[in-house]
Amino acid sequence: MDDVTDTMSGIETLNQRVREELKWLEFPARSWVPEREHQGEKVHDVIVIGGGMAGLTASGTLRRYGVLNHVVYDMAPKDREGPWVTYARMDTLRSPKTLTGPCLGIPVLTFRAWYEHRFGVQAWETLGLIPRTMWMEYLVWFRDVLELPVENGVLVQKIDTADHGLLRLNILRNGKAEEVLTRKVVLATGRDGLGGAYMPDVIRTLPEHLRAHSADMIDFAALKGKRVVVIGAGASAMDNAATALEQGAAQVDVLVRRGDIPRINKFTGIGSQGVVQGFVNLPDEWKWRFLDATLSAQTPPPRPSVLRVSQHPNAFFHLNCQIEEIAADGDALELITSRGALATDFIIAATGFNVDLVKRPELQVFSDRIRFWKDRFVPAPDNRYNGVINSELANSPDLGPAFEFQPKADVICPDLRNIHCFCFPATLSHGKVSGDIPAISDGADRLVKGIVSHFFSEDCAIHFRNLEQFETPELVGDEWQDTSLS
């Protein structure tokens, strides 16, 4: 397919095929959840917060199981949901192109189906890794072809309790305040879903025009001709360093605390359906052991990302280098490190995210009631990698089987079971099924099956009454005659 006409023709052919196959699957399933109103207000069955990959997959799965009265809120403009065209700065995805991702187990919804219909089979064969912006194009198509109910420009400010076990959300829709009711909330809010960007105090206390986090919207053009320091050895560190270099930074120094850059992706080594389906049922000790070993090893940056940096002669890697002190002198900075002094003009902290409910005002009503792993589990001394308790794991939410929050001991808060944490912090409870491409459909299936089960149980009296009142006959009485035995 060499021109726009052929491309659009290919996509329309795929769209027709999707519609046909979904019809064969009876997708979406017939709506079966009883409609509700409360004091004249419509009640949603589910509100999904976040219209990125996880939120879209959750929405598609809700439709697959007949929970049609739901909506997806995202505060970003349409086509800018998630990180892919905002703060993500890699050229290509790390994940292999063959992973099925958010397709819901339906072949025509895979990235491969979309790509082959747009560019042709031969182009697929020669494709290496998936370009980042192209992945966003695919997600936009996925949302549109499934007609998912995404509403953009909606910021959820507060989740609160309401009567009859409902939740009330205070939202800003394009700047206008509203209130909406729902039975369930799904937090599909990404890597920083229960907190935000983490920045060491020594950097955070600097003037804002001299530092940024790798997840910030950074004006890289303004860094042309300047010296830039990037803190970290992960993928985001390399991608931000490369972007600064490509935008004309005079010098980029990458500071790595460890004596070597991590080289082995431990999760890749155990990637299997056994992990996807079985991790959630492991004893707590084994869950902790698996993730503690993985996080302690750290995930290496992709090889192309490192080469993207090292090809520049004005890029420098400093291993075993920790910041001890930073002094600001006007618009210049002097870093005192474990390897000596370093002058720079701007610092980018590629230091990840942490769980910190203070940064999530929408959860403040529940923040002191949510149970975390540290509230009930302390790993034995021989089950601590390098002898220390991993704080990231300790601060993970202790979730139920459908990703629902659970209350701390001696806390009564039944509404917590109606808030589901379908984002990266769920990893210790459920494995890597809620934040990354490989198993996102499996995670969404687990999430929605739990929600469906809860709805049916909670409404079982209504369903039984409907059963008693169901009187559509299969037979009308003229299909046979009673034969006398005499």
Side-chain angles (χ1 to χ4, degrees), residues 172-191:
L172 279 180
R173 187 192 306 272
N174 297 319
K176 181 181 177 181
E178 297 181 26
E179 290 186 349
V180 290
L181 292 172
T182 186
R183 296 176 69 179
K184 295 276 191 181
V185 167
V186 172
L187 302 174
T189 41
R191 295 229 161 220

Side-chain angles (χ1 to χ4, degrees), residues 34 36 454-469:
R36 289 195 180 191
H454 179 227
F455 281 160
F456 187 80
S457 298
E458 191 170 72
D459 297 334
C460 64
I462 298 174
H463 293 297
F464 185 77
R465 185 171 66 248
N466 292 340
L467 169 65
E468 291 184 308
Q469 295 173 352

Side-chain angles (χ1 to χ4, degrees), residues 1-28:
M1 300 177 184
D2 298 323
D3 55 37
V4 174
T5 302
D6 289 338
T7 295
M8 297 313 298
S9 175
I11 291 299
E12 183 51 40
T13 298
L14 176 61
N15 291 347
Q16 292 174 0
R17 183 174 174 181
V18 169
R19 288 190 287 268
E20 182 177 48
E21 294 198 10
L22 292 184
K23 181 170 63 176
W24 293 342
L25 290 170
E26 294 187 281
F27 182 107

Side-chain angles (χ1 to χ4, degrees), residues 263-302:
R263 302 189 184 195
I264 299 172
N265 188 341
K266 293 289 187 179
F267 256 120
T268 299
I270 60 169
S272 70
Q273 280 298 309
V275 175
V276 171
Q277 309 301 337
F279 184 93
V280 66
N281 296 316
L282 287 177
D284 291 342
E285 292 78 8
W286 275 108
K287 286 182 177 181
W288 186 282
R289 177 177 287 186
F290 270 107
L291 285 192
D292 196 15
T294 302
L295 294 178
S296 296
Q298 290 193 319
T299 301

